[in-house]
PDB file of all heavy atoms in Angstrom:
ATOM      1  N   ILE A 400      31.735  60.540  65.760  1.00  0.00           N
ATOM      2  CA  ILE A 400      30.712  60.034  64.848  1.00  0.00           C
ATOM      3  C   ILE A 400      31.366  59.492  63.582  1.00  0.00           C
ATOM      4  O   ILE A 400      32.317  60.074  63.071  1.00  0.00           O
ATOM      5  CB  ILE A 400      29.740  61.177  64.480  1.00  0.00           C
ATOM      6  CG1 ILE A 400      29.066  61.725  65.741  1.00  0.00           C
ATOM      7  CG2 ILE A 400      28.706  60.739  63.451  1.00  0.00           C
ATOM      8  CD1 ILE A 400      28.213  60.718  66.458  1.00  0.00           C
ATOM      9  N   CYS A 401      30.828  58.393  63.065  1.00  0.00           N
ATOM     10  CA  CYS A 401      31.369  57.817  61.842  1.00  0.00           C
ATOM     11  C   CYS A 401      30.930  58.668  60.646  1.00  0.00           C
ATOM     12  O   CYS A 401      29.741  58.928  60.462  1.00  0.00           O
ATOM     13  CB  CYS A 401      30.855  56.392  61.684  1.00  0.00           C
ATOM     14  SG  CYS A 401      31.281  55.660  60.104  1.00  0.00           S
ATOM     15  N   ALA A 402      31.903  59.099  59.849  1.00  0.00           N
ATOM     16  CA  ALA A 402      31.587  59.976  58.714  1.00  0.00           C
ATOM     17  C   ALA A 402      30.897  59.214  57.590  1.00  0.00           C
ATOM     18  O   ALA A 402      30.341  59.807  56.667  1.00  0.00           O
ATOM     19  CB  ALA A 402      32.853  60.643  58.193  1.00  0.00           C
ATOM     20  N   VAL A 403      30.913  57.868  57.657  1.00  0.00           N
ATOM     21  CA  VAL A 403      30.292  57.080  56.601  1.00  0.00           C
ATOM     22  C   VAL A 403      28.816  56.822  56.912  1.00  0.00           C
ATOM     23  O   VAL A 403      27.933  57.126  56.105  1.00  0.00           O
ATOM     24  CB  VAL A 403      31.039  55.739  56.390  1.00  0.00           C
ATOM     25  CG1 VAL A 403      30.335  54.877  55.346  1.00  0.00           C
ATOM     26  CG2 VAL A 403      32.480  56.013  55.987  1.00  0.00           C
ATOM     27  N   CYS A 404      28.533  56.287  58.131  1.00  0.00           N
ATOM     28  CA  CYS A 404      27.143  55.911  58.417  1.00  0.00           C
ATOM     29  C   CYS A 404      26.469  56.797  59.449  1.00  0.00           C
ATOM     30  O   CYS A 404      25.257  56.740  59.628  1.00  0.00           O
ATOM     31  CB  CYS A 404      27.076  54.451  58.871  1.00  0.00           C
ATOM     32  SG  CYS A 404      27.748  54.194  60.512  1.00  0.00           S
ATOM     33  N   GLY A 405      27.241  57.626  60.173  1.00  0.00           N
ATOM     34  CA  GLY A 405      26.634  58.563  61.115  1.00  0.00           C
ATOM     35  C   GLY A 405      26.396  58.001  62.509  1.00  0.00           C
ATOM     36  O   GLY A 405      25.904  58.715  63.377  1.00  0.00           O
ATOM     37  N   ASP A 406      26.750  56.738  62.729  1.00  0.00           N
ATOM     38  CA  ASP A 406      26.629  56.193  64.084  1.00  0.00           C
ATOM     39  C   ASP A 406      27.867  56.559  64.898  1.00  0.00           C
ATOM     40  O   ASP A 406      28.883  56.922  64.325  1.00  0.00           O
ATOM     41  CB  ASP A 406      26.486  54.664  64.024  1.00  0.00           C
ATOM     42  CG  ASP A 406      25.025  54.249  64.063  1.00  0.00           C
ATOM     43  OD1 ASP A 406      24.192  55.124  64.379  1.00  0.00           O
ATOM     44  OD2 ASP A 406      24.732  53.077  63.758  1.00  0.00           O
ATOM     45  N   SER A 407      27.755  56.415  66.229  1.00  0.00           N
ATOM     46  CA  SER A 407      28.964  56.731  66.980  1.00  0.00           C
ATOM     47  C   SER A 407      29.894  55.536  67.017  1.00  0.00           C
ATOM     48  O   SER A 407      29.471  54.386  67.122  1.00  0.00           O
ATOM     49  CB  SER A 407      28.633  57.243  68.376  1.00  0.00           C
ATOM     50  OG  SER A 407      27.632  56.464  68.942  1.00  0.00           O
ATOM     51  N   PHE A 415      39.981  55.440  63.959  1.00  0.00           N
ATOM     52  CA  PHE A 415      38.567  55.531  64.295  1.00  0.00           C
ATOM     53  C   PHE A 415      37.890  54.248  63.824  1.00  0.00           C
ATOM     54  O   PHE A 415      38.024  53.859  62.659  1.00  0.00           O
ATOM     55  CB  PHE A 415      37.929  56.744  63.612  1.00  0.00           C
ATOM     56  CG  PHE A 415      36.454  56.831  63.851  1.00  0.00           C
ATOM     57  CD1 PHE A 415      35.970  57.463  64.985  1.00  0.00           C
ATOM     58  CD2 PHE A 415      35.554  56.260  62.957  1.00  0.00           C
ATOM     59  CE1 PHE A 415      34.602  57.531  65.226  1.00  0.00           C
ATOM     60  CE2 PHE A 415      34.193  56.310  63.197  1.00  0.00           C
ATOM     61  CZ  PHE A 415      33.718  56.956  64.335  1.00  0.00           C
ATOM     62  N   CYS A 416      37.170  53.580  64.718  1.00  0.00           N
ATOM     63  CA  CYS A 416      36.536  52.312  64.367  1.00  0.00           C
ATOM     64  C   CYS A 416      35.024  52.416  64.559  1.00  0.00           C
ATOM     65  O   CYS A 416      34.551  52.817  65.612  1.00  0.00           O
ATOM     66  CB  CYS A 416      37.042  51.189  65.273  1.00  0.00           C
ATOM     67  SG  CYS A 416      38.829  51.083  65.336  1.00  0.00           S
ATOM     68  N   CYS A 417      34.297  52.063  63.495  1.00  0.00           N
ATOM     69  CA  CYS A 417      32.839  52.088  63.586  1.00  0.00           C
ATOM     70  C   CYS A 417      32.321  50.655  63.669  1.00  0.00           C
ATOM     71  O   CYS A 417      32.586  49.845  62.782  1.00  0.00           O
ATOM     72  CB  CYS A 417      32.237  52.791  62.373  1.00  0.00           C
ATOM     73  SG  CYS A 417      30.434  52.736  62.363  1.00  0.00           S
ATOM     74  N   GLY A 418      31.585  50.356  64.749  1.00  0.00           N
ATOM     75  CA  GLY A 418      31.051  49.006  64.942  1.00  0.00           C
ATOM     76  C   GLY A 418      29.857  48.736  64.047  1.00  0.00           C
ATOM     77  O   GLY A 418      29.525  47.592  63.757  1.00  0.00           O
ATOM     78  N   THR A 419      29.210  49.779  63.566  1.00  0.00           N
ATOM     79  CA  THR A 419      28.004  49.591  62.764  1.00  0.00           C
ATOM     80  C   THR A 419      28.326  49.234  61.316  1.00  0.00           C
ATOM     81  O   THR A 419      27.846  48.231  60.794  1.00  0.00           O
ATOM     82  CB  THR A 419      27.134  50.863  62.791  1.00  0.00           C
ATOM     83  OG1 THR A 419      26.993  51.264  64.147  1.00  0.00           O
ATOM     84  CG2 THR A 419      25.776  50.619  62.179  1.00  0.00           C
ATOM     85  N   CYS A 420      29.165  50.054  60.653  1.00  0.00           N
ATOM     86  CA  CYS A 420      29.438  49.786  59.244  1.00  0.00           C
ATOM     87  C   CYS A 420      30.846  49.232  59.002  1.00  0.00           C
ATOM     88  O   CYS A 420      31.209  48.938  57.870  1.00  0.00           O
ATOM     89  CB  CYS A 420      29.209  51.030  58.386  1.00  0.00           C
ATOM     90  SG  CYS A 420      30.477  52.293  58.602  1.00  0.00           S
ATOM     91  N   GLY A 421      31.643  49.124  60.082  1.00  0.00           N
ATOM     92  CA  GLY A 421      32.956  48.514  59.940  1.00  0.00           C
ATOM     93  C   GLY A 421      34.042  49.429  59.419  1.00  0.00           C
ATOM     94  O   GLY A 421      35.154  48.973  59.155  1.00  0.00           O
ATOM     95  N   THR A 422      33.748  50.713  59.295  1.00  0.00           N
ATOM     96  CA  THR A 422      34.770  51.644  58.819  1.00  0.00           C
ATOM     97  C   THR A 422      35.949  51.709  59.782  1.00  0.00           C
ATOM     98  O   THR A 422      35.771  51.794  60.994  1.00  0.00           O
ATOM     99  CB  THR A 422      34.155  53.064  58.679  1.00  0.00           C
ATOM    100  OG1 THR A 422      33.231  53.049  57.607  1.00  0.00           O
ATOM    101  CG2 THR A 422      35.225  54.111  58.392  1.00  0.00           C
TER     102      THR A 422
HETATM  103 ZN1   ZN B 501      29.946  53.719  60.334  1.00  0.00          ZN
END
Side-chain angles (χ1 to χ4, degrees):
I400 300 297
C401 172
V403 176
C404 71
D406 265 347
S407 43
F415 176 86
C416 308
C417 175
T419 311
C420 72
T422 291

